[in-house]
Amino acid sequence: MLKRILIGVGVVVIGLLLFKYCDFKKEKEDEFDYNTNLIQQQILNVGKLVVTEGHFSEVITYKNSNKYFLDMISFEKKAIVIVNAKVTVAYDLHQMKYDIDEKNKTITILSIPKEEISIYPDIQYYDVEQSKLNEFTGADYNKINKTVRANLAKKVDKSTLKSNAKNRLVSEISKMLILTNSLGWKLQYNGEVIETESQLKQDLKL
C-alpha cells in the first residue's frame, strides 16, 4: 500500500515538474518571439527616407562672342545669372539590407544605401545683351545649366550638408542599437559588433 502511495506521489511530482518546464519553455519562447517582433518593427520604423536640405546661391556672368573678318568684328552676348538652389542629401533606408539571427540574438546590417544628392536650381537671367548675329540659344542655356550644377556640386562638397546628413543617418540607425542593447541582442556591421553611437558613426564609411 505504501509503495503504491509513493509511486503515486512520484508520478504527481514528475507531472508537476514537466508542467512547470513546459510552461517555463513556453514563456521563454513567447518572450523570444516578442523580442524578435519588437526588433523587426523597429527596423521597419527606421526604414524610411532620411532627407537633409540645404540652400545655396551664386552669381555667374556668362559671355560669348562670335568674331568675323579675321576677328576684326565681334558680336557679343552676355548675361548675369543669379542662382538660388535647394539641395537635398537623402538616404533611402527602405533599401537597407540586414539579417536577423534569432539563435544568436544578432542583427547584422549587410548594406546601407549610398547618399542621393539632388540639386534644384532656380536660375534667373539679368542684363541680357545679344545681337541678331549672336543670339542666346538652347545650347547656351544648357551650358549655363551645366556650369551652375557643377559649381553647386563643388559648394555642397565644401559645405557641412553631407556630414549633417550622415549624422541624421547615424541617429536613425542608433534607434536599432538602443533597442538591441536593451533586449540583450547585438548589432553588427562590417564584421564588428557595434556598441556605441560613436562607433557606429566611425564605421559608416559611405
Side-chain angles (χ1 to χ4, degrees), residues 4 76 121 144 148:
R4 290 181 178 179
E76 186 178 71
I144 292 170
V148 165

Side-chain angles (χ1 to χ4, degrees), residues 22 24 48 66 108 120 154 164 177 184 202:
C22 292
F24 174 77
K48 62 182 181 182
N66 280 350
T108 302
Y120 307 95
K154 291 177 182 178
N164 291 343
L177 177 62
Q202 184 178 356

Side-chain angles (χ1 to χ4, degrees), residues 12 20 24 31 47 59 69 82 88 91-93 106 115 125 137 154 175-176:
V12 171
K20 286 292 184 181
F24 174 77
E31 179 185 357
V59 178
F69 302 109
I82 297 178
T88 61
Y91 290 96
D92 187 358
L93 293 181
T106 302
E115 63 191 18
Y125 296 89
T137 65
K154 291 177 182 178
K175 294 176 183 178
M176 292 172 55

Side-chain angles (χ1 to χ4, degrees), residues 42-153:
Q42 183 61 64
I43 292 174
L44 289 176
N45 292 339
V46 170
K48 62 182 181 182
L49 186 65
V50 180
V51 181
T52 303
E53 183 177 307
H55 295 270
F56 299 85
S57 298
E58 65 177 352
V59 178
I60 298 173
T61 300
Y62 177 78
K63 293 182 179 181
N64 176 269
S65 298
N66 280 350
K67 297 181 179 181
Y68 302 91
F69 302 109
L70 301 175
D71 295 342
M72 296 176 62
I73 300 176
S74 176
F75 296 94
E76 186 178 71
K77 57 185 171 187
K78 63 180 180 178
I80 295 175
V81 184
I82 297 178
V83 182
N84 290 295
K86 180 179 78 172
V87 179
T88 61
V89 180
Y91 290 96
D92 187 358
L93 293 181
H94 290 103
Q95 299 179 22
M96 182 174 65
K97 296 180 181 179
Y98 59 89
D99 176 70
I100 297 179
D101 184 349
E102 296 180 350
K103 182 179 179 181
N104 296 306
K105 295 185 178 181
T106 302
I107 297 178
T108 302
I109 299 175
L110 303 176
S111 67
I112 297 173
K114 295 289 185 180
E115 63 191 18
E116 300 173 7
I117 300 175
S118 300
I119 299 175
Y120 307 95
D122 177 25
I123 302 175
Q124 301 290 332
Y125 296 89
Y126 295 91
D127 296 334
V128 177
E129 297 180 12
Q130 59 184 337
S131 70
K132 289 292 183 181
L133 294 177
N134 193 11
E135 295 180 323
F136 274 91
T137 65
D140 292 302
Y141 295 118
N142 288 337
K143 186 176 181 180
I144 292 170
N145 191 282
K146 185 176 180 180
T147 300
V148 165
R149 288 181 177 275
N151 290 346
L152 288 171

